[in-house]
Amino acid sequence: MRIVVVYRDASDHGREVREYIDDFERQTGLEIEQMNPDDSRNQFFLQAYDIVEYPTILAIADDGHLLQMWRGRPLPLIDEVAYYAR
């Protein structure tokens, strides 16, 4: 199971997402993978999951199957995301 957040750090939502990640990891003990949409190494991933809005949080099964996606703001509740991570 992977939880991935795609966002631009230097943006109007950057601080909010960083705080969300810190809170999520502190409350659940689980890690969120962070991805920058401007990094060319991530372009295939962005196309595969049709990510066009930031921030986007994805819950992905071990086989790559998309379980849930949250786009834009407001960010989902930590409990909503943690449900898919367990």
Side-chain angles (χ1 to χ4, degrees):
M1 171 67 60
R2 287 170 70 185
I3 301 296
V4 180
V5 62
V6 181
Y7 76 105
R8 289 186 173 102
D9 192 43
S11 66
D12 61 335
H13 61 263
R15 181 177 178 180
E16 180 183 2
V17 173
R18 286 189 307 274
E19 290 174 354
Y20 181 89
I21 292 168
D22 290 343
D23 288 345
F24 182 88
E25 292 177 354
R26 185 174 32 260
Q27 290 181 30
T28 66
L30 303 169
E31 191 173 315
I32 294 181
E33 181 180 338
Q34 301 174 47
M35 190 172 289
N36 180 347
D38 298 326
D39 188 336
S40 61
R41 295 175 291 174
N42 298 329
Q43 294 309 305
F44 179 76
F45 181 89
L46 298 176
Q47 291 173 353
Y49 291 104
D50 192 30
I51 299 170
V52 294
E53 185 177 354
Y54 312 110
T56 295
I57 299 175
L58 301 100
I60 303 171
D62 292 333
D63 64 359
H65 179 78
L66 180 65
L67 300 174
Q68 182 65 290
M69 179 186 298
W70 297 270
R71 294 182 181 196
R73 296 193 282 188
L75 295 173
L77 297 175
I78 289 175
D79 289 342
E80 290 178 273
V81 178
Y83 171 81
Y84 290 95
R86 297 182 194 265

